[in-house]
Amino acid sequence: MLFPTVAFAIFFLLAYVGRWALARRPLPLKLFLLAASYVFYGWWDWRFLGLIAGSSAVNHLLALAMARHAHGRPIGRLLGLGTVVLTLPPLTAQALIRAGAGARLAAGVGLGPEIGANTLWCAAGALAFVLAGRVASLFGAGLYDAPPARVRTGMARALGGGAVIVNLGFLGFFKYYGFFVQNAYALCGRLGLSCPLPLLDIVLPVGISFFTFQALSYVLDVHRGEIAPAPSLLDFAIYLAFFPQLVAGPIVRARVFLPQLIRLPVPDRLDVGRAAVLIFGGLFKKVVVANFLAQSIVDPVFGHPAIYGAWDTLFAVYAYAVQIYCDFSAYSDIAIGTALLLGFHFPINFDAPYFSASVQAFWRRWHISLSSWLRDYLYIPLGGSRCSPRRTYLNLFLTFLLGGLWHGAGWTFIAWGALHGFYLCVERLLRGGRPPPPSSFGRRLAGQLVTFHLVCLSWFFFRAESFEDAWTLLGNFGQWARPECLNLPVLAMAVLGFASQGLDGRRVERWWDAFGRWPTWAQALAAAAALTVILGLGPRGVAPFIYFQF
Amino acid sequence: MSPHPNKDIEIERATAGCGVSRRRAHAAVLGFYLAAALFNGEALLREAHLLRYGPLRDSAIAAARPLAAAARMTRLGRLRAWAERRSPAH
């Protein structure tokens, strides 16, 4: 379900009414929020509901085991029972599917429609989820109210390591298996060997990178003793699947969202002004700016790089820089705005990134939830900057290399991450570990220009279909022919998209408050008129958000 | 990589009591849906006709028809038509 569609509009109205109708009944409200989130996710492909439900059950049981171990309680029965309830229903479903398929083949009627197997798998997933919830409630009593504790024993490390392996295993299989096998085949082919790995056609579940990182942050925070495990599987399942940010972020930490879910406060006031500016600003950025730039210049030039010259290539990469900002920040803004209308607060994810005067500042303002995740769960555990200078550079480079790989299973994404890692290492080297000096307007402007162009250079690799395409695009700078794709609407839209960074952070706080003071009828009418103009100005059809593929 | 200063805008604003009462917010949201349906009634009917033949299309058309009629009667549908005429994408 995409945000700017009629289906989502109807869905959100139902979710909004349900949320506030059940506001004072916590259990029905939580069940409703989980059901709504699963409907939202299942809209793409309901078969992946088993994946997200399974991920919730496994991570919650592991977090409980860690917390029980930290408080000196036995965990053997929890792990044993947990393993049984998580594996028995799926194994039974698999056996039934095989038996059914065997019987149908024996009767000579073929394997029949997929629906039978899918239904069985889904039922098995639901049963495993419910049983895991029961096991969790048996073994989790009192753990949420107890102060979080950390114990450094072999078992604690094994549980933490197990949680990381399970989550990265999910992600690795669905997202990177194909990439790994393709490269293994290519390598074996060069060496004259045969590759024993099977080629599987795996569909990438939408949003898997986002909810896996949320799950990882939860289990690692419980492992470190920074938070207590969620009081019930239901709370954790909502945290993992909450529909506004499920598919493309922001990556919300458990320590931010779980307390809100557990208390479920009924706020007296709703920040309608801020929510409206976020939602309609986001819709404008996505529907009008990002979609138009994609259709008019970015897709043609990046799709056929060999037939364009330097001007078209230059403006296509500028347009792509604006497009990806407008596309991705739009999703985050709409997610934050819709969550706000439902009474939940999420941290911001973008803060005018292209106004940054250094690459380091850029990463403090671009996809903040990912960069802070990488800092807390990768860069600092690797040693961060508290080790030798050489090791610090290596940590920085590795963090961004893996950040690039997180974006997509492809060498171009790895190159993009490596380029950013390289930029940050060079910046650190030039600064010599000192804080940046106070800069004049001219110096800051120069820094912004250089940073923007360095980021644009990296976007060539991020957007190009292959390395060949990226090199062709860079090679176009040798031919300064007359531009073909550049025209006034493209230029105006790119400038408008760039200027839309002014909506980030607190820059338009006055607008939020001013809109909040309008009469109710004027708010409704203005919002509806804004939506109508946005939908009218945008191209026909709805393009998916770029970050859905990650 | 230090914590971002603007990260907790919403928490700060919620603590400061920014926003409108819940009842007013509900009225604004429901009013928005009503007005949006009237502004876009004709476009909704047009899009419903583009759906694949089947029960979903039939119910979408049945639901959009009165909205389109209301949009025509109130002339609110003109805003969408005006925006579409000025769209650089069309």
Side-chain angles (χ1 to χ4, degrees), chain A residues 9 13 16 266-271 274 336 345-347 351 364 375 506 509 513 516 518 520 524 532 537-538, chain B residues 1-2 4 6-7 10 12-13 17 19-20 22 24-26 28 31-33 35-36 39-40 44 84 87 90:
Chain A
L13 181 63
Y16 182 85
V266 186
D268 292 329
R269 303 180 77 76
L270 286 179
D271 202 348
R274 174 159 158 75
I336 295 168
H345 302 284
F346 289 169
D351 189 12
R364 282 191 190 139
R375 177 197 64 206
R506 287 180 179 273
E509 197 164 5
D513 293 331
W518 287 14
T520 308
T532 306
L537 287 176
Chain B
M1 288 191 176
S2 63
H4 198 279
N6 279 339
K7 246 181 135 178
E10 292 188 10
E12 286 168 27
R13 284 179 64 81
V20 299
R22 223 171 52 235
R24 269 195 63 191
H26 296 343
F32 157 75
Y33 268 91
F39 278 128
N40 297 283
L44 284 173
E84 283 176 356
S87 168
H90 292 171

Side-chain angles (χ1 to χ4, degrees), chain A residues 160-505:
Chain A
V164 172
I165 289 169
V166 166
N167 282 295
L168 293 184
F170 273 138
L171 190 62
F173 176 72
F174 283 101
K175 190 164 176 175
Y176 300 107
Y177 181 82
F179 173 67
F180 176 71
V181 170
Q182 270 181 6
N183 284 287
Y185 268 88
L187 188 67
C188 289
R190 281 189 188 175
L191 297 174
L193 302 168
S194 68
C195 185
L197 292 165
L199 274 171
L200 301 175
D201 189 17
I202 300 166
V203 180
L204 181 67
V206 179
I208 189 172
S209 308
F210 288 91
F211 70 72
T212 303
F213 267 33
Q214 285 205 175
L216 267 173
S217 75
Y218 167 73
V219 286
L220 289 174
D221 282 353
V222 172
H223 177 66
R224 292 170 177 181
E226 289 175 6
I227 58 167
S232 72
L233 177 58
L234 183 60
D235 289 302
F236 178 65
I238 300 171
Y239 159 68
L240 206 60
F242 191 51
F243 73 86
Q245 51 33 290
L246 169 61
V247 173
I251 302 166
V252 183
R253 303 284 181 90
R255 76 185 77 157
V256 172
F257 191 29
L258 268 181
Q260 298 182 49
L261 261 181
I262 292 158
R263 281 201 315 273
L264 273 181
V266 186
D268 292 329
R269 303 180 77 76
L270 286 179
D271 202 348
V272 171
R274 174 159 158 75
V277 173
L278 283 169
I279 293 171
F280 295 108
L283 283 174
F284 178 78
K285 287 194 279 188
K286 167 65 186 164
V287 176
V288 181
V289 180
N291 287 358
F292 177 75
L293 289 176
Q295 283 186 8
S296 309
I297 184 164
V298 177
D299 291 351
V301 173
F302 278 86
H304 306 280
I307 61 174
Y308 291 97
W311 285 114
D312 281 318
T313 307
L314 183 67
F315 283 100
V317 78
Y318 286 164
Y320 183 65
V322 174
Q323 184 207 341
I324 194 167
Y325 163 74
C326 285
D327 193 288
F328 189 24
S329 71
Y331 193 95
S332 294
D333 288 352
I334 298 169
I336 295 168
T338 48
L340 195 54
L341 285 179
L342 297 174
F344 298 102
H345 302 284
F346 289 169
I348 64 165
N349 208 20
F350 287 85
D351 189 12
Y354 294 136
F355 293 161
S356 310
S358 68
V359 179
Q360 189 190 31
F362 173 82
W363 277 104
R364 282 191 190 139
R365 293 155 159 240
W366 177 274
H367 202 173
I368 297 166
S369 63
L370 175 70
S371 53
S372 59
W373 194 102
L374 291 172
R375 177 197 64 206
D376 293 346
Y377 302 104
L378 193 57
Y379 179 67
I380 292 175
L382 281 172
S385 55
R386 293 183 178 182
C387 39
S388 68
R390 193 173 291 186
R391 183 63 201 263
T392 302
Y393 291 124
L394 184 68
N395 292 342
L396 206 50
F397 188 75
L398 270 178
T399 302
F400 278 87
L401 197 73
L402 293 172
L405 187 63
W406 175 86
H407 280 83
W411 288 107
T412 49
F413 291 110
I414 296 173
W416 173 80
L419 211 47
H420 276 277
F422 173 72
Y423 293 158
L424 287 164
C425 289
V426 171
E427 257 185 27
R428 196 179 175 86
L429 194 69
L430 293 176
R431 232 183 31 231
R434 293 183 300 275
S439 55
S440 62
F441 172 76
R443 211 167 166 176
R444 212 173 62 233
L445 187 67
Q448 286 171 338
L449 279 170
V450 170
T451 303
F452 179 69
H453 284 88
L454 287 174
V455 172
C456 280
L457 177 64
S458 73
W459 289 138
F460 276 114
F461 294 94
F462 194 90
R463 175 61 181 81
E465 300 290 331
S466 62
F467 268 123
E468 290 75 34
D469 281 2
W471 294 129
T472 309
L473 284 159
L474 291 171
N476 285 348
F477 285 102
Q479 316 147 24
W480 292 87
R482 198 163 166 263
E484 287 174 33
C485 291
L486 191 64
N487 51 42
L488 196 61
V490 168
L491 208 58
M493 217 49 104
V495 170
L496 206 58
F498 194 86
S500 70
Q501 293 180 97
L503 296 173
D504 289 350

